[in-house]
Amino acid sequence: SQQGEEDPQALSIQEGENATMNCSYKTSINNLQWYRQNSGRGLVHLILIRSNEREKHSGRLRVTLDTSKKSSSLLITASRAADTASYFCATDVGANSKLTFGKGITLSVRP
Amino acid sequence: DAGVTQSPTHLIKTRGQQVTLRCSPKSGHDTVSWYQQALGQGPQFIFQYYEEEERQRGNFPDRFSGHQFPNYSSELNVNALLLGDSALYLCASSPIQGSTNTEAFFGQGTRLTVV
């Protein structure tokens, strides 16, 4: 079963615009992580946010977590064509526990 | 510092055959997990190995088995292959068991096609 549900399923924007992707989950979590996947290859780790954190930044990425709503958002600012990929959120319920992924969001950034 | 490496990158097998996929974890990581990703879906957890033992298992049949070696590398074996086993198989490694840091790093995957 899939814990995370990303929204929207597909997003198409112009280069330079911001992209916002959302993830909702069903049970209490320990951490939430965002990953990027290019063309069905491996997953690239983007950012981890712990359940006691509300916001985290890494370069052009901003992640928020609202545990009361069981949701997270990933904002990519000033998008580039190279950001075109699938994005997944993944949750875990404790140290070394398995990751549970959503179905992913396909982001297309038009040059 | 090498990240997670998987081999082979692509594989074609016939129904009923057996396959072995290999993974070397990131340096300093001792826990290896395997995931199956069908086309258009998110990865699904198969199992996790630590100290050469299977510690957690997802909802996969016994045809899926694994092994972890003393150097922390791991193998995923699938017996009696079905067409539905065609997928991208991903290996993930994470730091010392019991750590609060649960960042998992993935390899490039092995694309298995069963014909």
Side-chain angles (χ1 to χ4, degrees), chain A residues 79-94:
Chain A
S79 63
R80 306 166 181 168
D83 295 327
T84 294
S86 293
Y87 291 81
F88 294 88
C89 68
T91 58
D92 70 74
V93 296

Side-chain angles (χ1 to χ4, degrees), chain B residues 16-99:
Chain B
Q17 284 188 318
Q18 178 264 344
V19 67
T20 298
L21 310 181
R22 296 177 176 81
C23 171
S24 293
K26 184 177 168 62
S27 177
H29 289 185
D30 63 350
T31 301
V32 174
S33 301
W34 287 92
Y35 292 79
Q36 180 196 65
Q37 186 180 21
L39 203 60
Q41 300 294 315
Q44 297 283 315
F45 175 76
I46 303 175
F47 43 53
Q48 181 187 78
Y49 275 83
Y50 168 68
E51 288 188 335
E52 303 177 49
E53 289 189 16
E54 182 182 294
R55 299 291 176 170
Q56 300 179 59
R57 189 178 183 92
N59 189 25
F60 280 82
D62 292 344
R63 297 186 298 107
F64 289 77
S65 63
H67 188 77
Q68 186 179 35
F69 298 94
N71 66 353
Y72 308 128
S73 67
S74 176
E75 288 182 349
L76 163 66
N77 300 293
V78 186
N79 294 322
L81 285 166
L82 304 174
L83 295 179
D85 295 331
S86 295
L88 181 68
Y89 288 84
L90 295 161
C91 170
S93 74
S94 51
I96 303 298
Q97 180 82 216
S99 166

Side-chain angles (χ1 to χ4, degrees), chain A residues 1-2 30-33 35 37-48 50 56 86 88 90 92-104, chain B residues 9-10 30-31 33 35 37 40-45 48 56-58 88 90 92 94-109 111:
Chain A
S1 64
Q2 298 195 284
N30 187 45
N31 302 300
L32 185 144
Q33 303 182 55
Y35 289 86
Q37 185 175 43
N38 292 85
S39 301
R41 300 306 307 278
L43 298 172
V44 174
H45 187 271
L46 296 177
I47 199 164
L48 177 151
R50 303 188 191 286
K56 207 162 179 181
S86 293
F88 294 88
D92 70 74
V93 296
N96 303 112
S97 71
K98 66 177 184 179
L99 293 177
T100 303
F101 288 82
K103 292 185 177 181
Chain B
T9 55
H10 294 85
D30 63 350
T31 301
S33 301
Y35 292 79
Q37 186 180 21
Q41 300 294 315
Q44 297 283 315
F45 175 76
Q48 181 187 78
Q56 300 179 59
R57 189 178 183 92
L88 181 68
L90 295 161
S94 51
I96 303 298
Q97 180 82 216
S99 166
T100 57
N101 181 2
T102 57
E103 280 186 353
F105 293 86
F106 285 78
Q108 286 298 300
R111 172 73 62 187

Side-chain angles (χ1 to χ4, degrees), chain A residues 25-90:
Chain A
Y25 55 91
K26 298 174 184 174
T27 64
S28 296
I29 63 169
N30 187 45
N31 302 300
L32 185 144
Q33 303 182 55
W34 284 91
Y35 289 86
R36 184 184 76 230
Q37 185 175 43
N38 292 85
S39 301
R41 300 306 307 278
L43 298 172
V44 174
H45 187 271
L46 296 177
I47 199 164
L48 177 151
I49 187 165
R50 303 188 191 286
S51 58
N52 62 354
E53 297 175 314
R54 292 297 166 257
E55 187 171 316
K56 207 162 179 181
H57 296 254
S58 177
R60 294 185 295 114
L61 306 180
R62 173 179 169 254
V63 169
T64 62
L65 179 65
D66 187 336
T67 52
S68 66
K69 295 181 180 179
K70 292 186 169 58
S71 67
S72 172
S73 68
L74 170 66
L75 168 68
I76 303 175
T77 59
S79 63
R80 306 166 181 168
D83 295 327
T84 294
S86 293
Y87 291 81
F88 294 88
C89 68

